[in-house]
Amino acid sequence: TILFSGCTDFKNAGRTKQIDESVFANVCVPSKISTFEEEEEGLEFTFVAAGAAAAHNVAIDTKGRLWAWGRNENGQLGTGDKHNRNAPQIVKGINFGENGDGEDKDAVKIVWAACGRNHTICVDSEGSFYGCGSNKS
């Protein structure tokens, strides 16, 4: 279970992009992210990251897979596009096994991640780094 609280409406957060607040109201108390339950039974997480200036989040499950959701105008979610995600999705471009389930012996196991304003980085169990999003300095 992952709990979330905070502003989910870019307009109220001082952003220029607007989301219908009746659909994505601000979450004033810690609330369970229920969309994970729809993915896999028994899904558990070892790590969650969000950045102070970021409007996206990532989580690492016990199989070493990286999940991302939130704002994505610079590709910072690693989903292969620039569409915002209101529900967590597994990051693309990292080999999480043939079926994407993290079970293969050659599957990459992510152990750490961080979110910046327009990028995400993560590290696997072998010490390799991965990044996605804006490459501006």
Side-chain angles (χ1 to χ4, degrees):
T1 299
I2 295 179
L3 300 177
F4 174 84
S5 64
C7 187
T8 61
D9 181 348
F10 292 145
K11 180 181 173 189
N12 287 333
R15 308 284 190 221
T16 58
K17 296 182 180 180
Q18 297 181 14
I19 294 178
D20 183 355
E21 190 174 349
S22 66
V23 177
F24 302 106
N26 292 331
V27 181
C28 298
V29 296
S31 302
K32 189 176 188 179
I33 299 178
S34 61
T35 52
F36 282 117
E37 295 174 1
E38 300 167 7
E39 299 295 334
E40 295 178 32
E41 190 173 323
L43 189 60
E44 295 180 352
F45 294 88
T46 60
F47 186 89
V48 178
H56 68 289
N57 307 282
V58 295
I60 302 169
D61 68 22
T62 55
K63 296 178 181 181
R65 298 176 300 175
L66 186 65
W67 298 73
W69 66 100
R71 202 165 81 186
N72 193 35
E73 71 270 6
N74 289 294
Q76 61 264 45
L77 297 183
T79 53
D81 58 39
K82 293 183 178 181
H83 302 290
N84 295 339
R85 296 295 195 289
N86 297 317
Q89 292 196 335
I90 293 177
V91 171
K92 295 181 180 179
I94 299 175
N95 177 18
F96 293 123
E98 187 175 328
N99 297 321
D101 59 8
E103 299 292 333
D104 294 354
K105 65 179 177 75
D106 295 328
V108 170
K109 307 286 186 208
I110 300 299
V111 296
W112 182 85
C115 300
R117 181 175 181 180
N118 296 308
H119 68 281
T120 300
I121 59 169
C122 61
V123 181
D124 71 17
S125 60
E126 301 294 319
S128 295
F129 282 78
Y130 300 80
C132 54
S134 177
N135 197 27
K136 291 182 182 179
S137 58

